[in-house]
Amino acid sequence: FLDSQAAYCVKTVSNTLPNLHNSVLTPDQARDTLKLLFNNADIRLKSLAASQKSFWVSQSFWENYYTSVLENCCNEGSWQAGQDGIGTLRYRGIQLIPLPIIDDALENDSTNPFYDEIRHFVIYTTKANHYMGVERASDLNNLTSCFDCRTNMNLIKGRMRFGYNFVQCNLISW
């Protein structure tokens, strides 16, 4: 998503989140960023139903927004949410999807090319607006499989390099 090839039409709304690997979000920063992102997104993205869109977020961003929901709601509602938990976080009906494995890579892996470049993030897009690909098509045929009688499962093993990109970059804001 940070490929210079796609940057020409992705609508960048804000770059106010701290980017150093050990940075911490300020209280309500995730909530304020979601508001900014939602209000300034491309009209084509805003026109879609909430059920067709999502916010892909770092776990740290998700936790910051979770805290905002608990602390800035009504007293009884906040207390109940604190007791029962909130399974699915939403902003204006749009689900936040946390990617916790990304946090580890951005915070702890100094060999990661995005180390100290990105730490907390949110991407606002449609749920079906991305795809994964492999470096070489022949890698898709380089799989081994077997049946495991103990677990009654087919096991498949392969080794390849994956890539990720968006299909229509006009339907993305970050």
Side-chain angles (χ1 to χ4, degrees), residues 3 5-6 10 12 17 31-32 35 44 46 49 55 77 98 102 108 112 129 132 134 137 144 147-149 156-157 161:
D3 184 358
Q5 304 290 317
V10 173
T12 303
L17 298 176
R31 183 201 61 197
D32 297 342
K35 181 179 179 182
R44 288 167 279 209
K46 290 173 94 170
F55 291 104
I102 300 293
N108 301 318
N112 183 327
N129 192 32
M132 292 187 75
V134 293
T144 57
F147 181 76
D148 184 2
C149 293
I156 300 173
K157 182 170 77 172
R161 291 179 63 178

Side-chain angles (χ1 to χ4, degrees), residues 145-165:
S145 65
C146 67
F147 181 76
D148 184 2
C149 293
R150 292 178 298 123
T151 60
N152 199 27
M153 295 176 67
N154 286 314
L155 304 175
I156 300 173
K157 182 170 77 172
R159 186 176 179 145
M160 59 195 77
R161 291 179 63 178
F162 280 94
Y164 179 86
N165 211 337

